[in-house]
Amino acid sequence: MSGKTVNSAILLLVLGNAMALISDVFIKLLEPGAPILQFAFLRCLITLAFLVPVARKIDRNNLFSGFRVHALRAHIHLAGLLFMIVALSNLPLATANAVFYAAPIMVMVLSVLFFRESLTPLSVFAVFSGFFGIIVILRPMDFNWAAMAALASALALAINAVMVRKLPKGQTTVHKLFLNYLLMVPASGLLAAWEWQKGASWQPEVLFIAAGSAAFILVYNITVLLAYRQVDANQVTSAEYTGLIWAVAIGWIWFNEVPDWWFLLGSMMVVVPLVLIGLQQRRKAPARGFNPVPKQGKPRNRAGSLSAGTTL
């Protein structure tokens, strides 16, 4: 599975999204009242440790190039991670992930607001369908602080995706990932210290959960890199939405979370228009198969938005 053909790239994305869902499962294993700030800090440190073997991909001479944008994205990433933990801890796995898929819809809106991009009729339909789909999934009567946390996490993903355009063009994805987590360490460390000062005790199992979550989300990032490196994104990006299928399956089998018809209807309203957009783009750019010349494509995050290094 080198990602050099469309079929292998699709398979990589399907497996990669399964890895991302396993990362979510680790987060759901946190006990009620677990020190989530401690978890976030440990996951940052462990992710940095995992990135050390590929440090050669980092431009050490220009390590902090684009520092202000990187720093802002890092802290938005940290906030999004904390919101994600709250959402996954209190919502069914599939419900939380369905709301996370609001991120590419938010990217469309933010791109119009900040970059004056124009939306196609299908994109406008996707925005409205996705908005009402989220309402159907959450339902006003069930809308609570956990649902708000899921939406906030999706917004963090979307903002980070849009901000990728402001990053230095020559930086590798490994460089962006490394700098993103490095700049998260001070704030997450201070938050963890504040949590400890407030009485949160050290819980060894949090280290295991943080390591598992970091490892599987990093594997997801690797599969995305391989999948998008030599195959056009519009040929394979719809495979990213298999993450919702994995969320339903794992939630059903592991946590006995049976989705209802409202969830299925709302999920279709969110995902189907996004898949149609991907298919429309694919028709405009016919499949090339294997491109022998490596290209510097930007990998997508799990919400399907162009965003190297923003996966939560």
Side-chain angles (χ1 to χ4, degrees):
M1 291 185 296
S2 62
K4 293 181 179 180
T5 65
V6 171
N7 288 338
S8 65
I10 289 174
L11 184 56
L12 278 169
L13 289 177
V14 171
L15 294 177
N17 275 273
M19 298 300 101
L21 260 296
I22 295 175
S23 174
D24 289 351
V25 169
F26 272 94
I27 294 176
K28 282 189 74 68
L29 292 177
L30 289 169
E31 296 290 337
I36 64 172
L37 301 180
Q38 182 184 117
F39 166 85
F41 175 59
L42 289 172
R43 207 179 92 155
C44 288
L45 289 180
I46 293 168
T47 302
L48 284 173
F50 285 154
L51 289 171
V52 168
V54 291
R56 64 183 183 278
K57 299 284 187 179
I58 300 171
D59 182 2
R60 299 179 186 179
N61 294 327
N62 299 286
L63 177 61
F64 292 103
S65 179
F67 175 81
R68 292 183 180 180
V69 179
H70 276 296
L72 182 57
R73 291 181 76 248
H75 290 87
I76 293 173
H77 184 171
L78 177 59
L81 174 60
L82 296 176
F83 284 127
M84 176 177 281
I85 295 169
V86 172
L88 288 170
S89 300
N90 295 277
L91 292 174
L93 186 65
T95 300
N97 274 271
V99 178
F100 297 155
Y101 277 99
I105 297 168
M106 295 178 180
V107 167
M108 295 181 200
V109 176
L110 292 174
S111 296
V112 171
L113 293 176
F114 294 103
F115 295 101
R116 304 300 181 188
E117 290 189 358
S118 58
L119 296 180
T120 65
L122 184 54
S123 296
V124 173
F125 172 72
V127 169
F128 284 98
S129 178
F131 173 77
F132 288 110
I134 294 300
I135 292 178
V136 170
I137 292 170
L138 297 177
R139 295 185 292 282
M141 65 184 68
D142 294 334
F143 197 84
N144 52 31
W145 58 277
M148 294 178 63
L151 286 171
S153 181
L155 180 60
L157 278 168
I159 293 173
N160 269 359
V162 172
M163 290 181 66
V164 165
R165 303 185 191 189
K166 298 295 185 181
L167 293 175
K169 300 297 182 184
Q171 287 182 343
T172 65
T173 300
V174 172
H175 190 135
K176 294 170 186 174
L177 278 170
F178 183 85
L179 200 53
N180 188 68
Y181 282 99
L182 180 65
L183 295 175
M184 286 170 64
V185 168
S188 61
L190 288 173
L191 289 173
W194 174 80
E195 188 180 46
W196 175 78
Q197 187 179 22
K198 290 294 183 179
S201 59
W202 163 253
Q203 298 184 14
E205 61 272 17
V206 173
L207 178 62
F208 165 76
I209 293 172
S213 177
F216 280 99
I217 207 65
L218 197 56
V219 170
Y220 165 77
N221 276 293
I222 293 171
T223 63
V224 167
L225 275 172
L226 292 174
Y228 288 118
R229 185 170 57 186
Q230 297 189 93
V231 176
D232 284 340
N234 56 45
Q235 298 177 41
V236 297
T237 191
S238 57
E240 294 255 26
Y241 300 108
T242 58
L244 193 55
I245 299 174
W246 286 114
V248 173
I250 295 174
W252 197 337
I253 295 170
W254 202 319
F255 299 102
N256 197 30
E257 299 170 350
V258 181
D260 58 19
W261 288 104
W262 290 106
F263 167 81
L264 296 176
L265 175 61
S267 297
M268 295 289 286
M269 294 172 68
V270 173
V271 172
V272 170
L274 297 174
V275 174
L276 291 176
I277 291 174
L279 293 175
Q280 183 184 65
Q281 293 174 342
R282 183 174 180 176
R283 285 194 296 270
K284 292 179 179 178
R288 298 181 308 169
F290 169 54
N291 175 14
V293 181
K295 63 180 186 294
Q296 299 298 320
K298 296 175 184 176
R300 298 187 175 231
N301 64 20
R302 44 187 311 201
S305 307
L306 288 174
S307 175
T310 64
T311 302
L312 303 180

